[in-house]
Amino acid sequence: MPFAISDQRKIHYQVEGEGPPLLLHHGFTSSLEAWRFFGFTDVLRQHYRVISFDALGHGQSDKPHDSAAYSQHQRCRDALAVLDAAQVERTHFFGYSLGGWVGYGLVRQAPERLHSLILGAAHPYEDRSWEVFRGIDGTDPEAFIAAFEDLLDEAISPQVKMLIRSNDLVALAAAAQQARPSQEELLARMDLPCLFFCGDADARHTAVARTAARLARAEFVSLPGVTHFGGLMQSALVLPPVLDFLGRLPG
């Protein structure tokens, strides 16, 4: 089981397939296994060297209970440590939700490591919805899930609730304390090819569409009837535009 070391913490990652590198970053409460479970990895590895990893606090990676460990800056350092461990200098980046937030951070911290960005259900504007986690320490799973439903403005299915409960919720509650201030100034730096997508039943849809419209080299795909959680479950809807987008870029 390969691990990258990022500031003395272990970050679990996997590499599959051959071709141009493609780094995948999952969403909050998920893991790298989601890419496989929902059908992304099997398709993408036929065309790309797919590098997926468990974000700090998730999956098989370390799970500190200190909120300071989960800053955007640190999450970007973790992603770069994975690239270094995989000996990848520059990559396409595909991030969903939390992963999209990290994608914006990479634009700030290491744009030279990016060929392109694919960002799902993530925008650069101030997001105060995470304040619902104030006072949530993870010791009460039902309170954690209720706060997450408030954040998303949608109900979470029983199956997904079961998956959430299997996490170290104290670690994830610590991660959720990180503020999400505006990063709108980054749009002026995003001169690389970008693909944005979001479900039209996701409360973030309008903001994501507006972001794409402001960028000269960006495309936007709206997923009809898809919620926030559904955005990474609907590989049949997401993969075609992703493969089309990547296929039009230089190798």
Side-chain angles (χ1 to χ4, degrees):
M1 184 180 294
F3 290 93
I5 304 300
S6 177
D7 296 303
Q8 300 182 328
R9 299 186 184 97
K10 294 190 298 182
I11 306 296
H12 173 230
Y13 73 98
Q14 293 182 355
V15 181
E16 301 179 62
E18 296 182 0
L22 173 62
L23 182 65
L24 307 182
H25 194 307
H26 62 77
F28 186 62
T29 74
S30 189
S31 74
L32 65 79
E33 293 298 334
W35 299 103
R36 184 185 319 282
F37 185 79
F38 294 116
F40 287 88
T41 306
D42 284 348
V43 173
L44 291 171
R45 71 181 181 182
Q46 297 176 37
H47 310 276
Y48 299 94
R49 185 182 180 209
V50 176
I51 307 155
S52 57
F53 68 102
D54 290 326
L56 193 70
H58 298 76
Q60 301 301 314
S61 292
D62 282 350
K63 301 174 180 64
H65 291 176
D66 176 10
S67 179
Y70 298 101
S71 67
Q72 186 187 52
H73 179 80
Q74 185 59 54
R75 288 205 179 279
C76 289
R77 287 178 62 84
D78 297 343
L80 294 173
V82 169
L83 288 180
D84 291 343
Q87 299 184 315
V88 172
E89 183 61 31
R90 200 172 182 199
T91 186
H92 300 291
F93 179 87
F94 184 174
Y96 190 76
S97 193
L98 168 65
W101 186 60
V102 175
Y104 287 110
L106 290 171
V107 171
R108 185 193 308 278
Q109 288 180 225
E112 72 283 357
R113 305 294 295 270
L114 300 173
H115 278 304
S116 70
L117 284 173
I118 302 168
L119 304 181
H123 62 74
Y125 309 111
E126 182 182 30
D127 185 356
R128 302 190 66 177
S129 63
W130 288 85
E131 293 176 3
V132 300
F133 276 101
R134 287 182 179 174
I136 302 294
D137 64 5
T139 58
D140 181 346
E142 300 315 309
F144 181 98
I145 290 170
F148 202 15
E149 289 181 318
D150 285 347
L151 184 152
L152 298 175
D153 194 25
E154 65 185 60
I156 297 174
S157 71
Q159 294 85 353
V160 174
K161 287 181 180 180
M162 182 177 65
L163 293 174
I164 290 174
R165 291 188 190 98
S166 69
N167 284 281
D168 181 336
L169 296 186
V170 174
L172 293 188
Q177 306 306 314
Q178 285 290 328
R180 300 286 185 96
S182 173
Q183 305 178 87
E184 195 171 351
E185 80 282 358
L186 291 176
L187 295 179
R189 308 186 200 178
M190 294 176 65
D191 59 351
L192 72 171
C194 297
L195 174 66
F196 296 84
F197 69 90
C198 192
D200 67 5
D202 186 331
R204 290 146 184 77
H205 184 270
T206 298
V208 177
R210 184 168 82 245
T211 302
R214 294 179 60 182
L215 297 172
R217 303 182 68 188
E219 304 170 27
F220 176 68
V221 174
S222 179
L223 307 177
V226 173
T227 64
H228 188 82
F229 265 108
L232 203 60
M233 297 178 180
Q234 301 291 338
S235 60
L237 294 178
V238 176
L239 277 171
V242 165
L243 291 171
D244 177 68
F245 170 76
L246 292 172
R248 288 184 276 113
L249 299 178

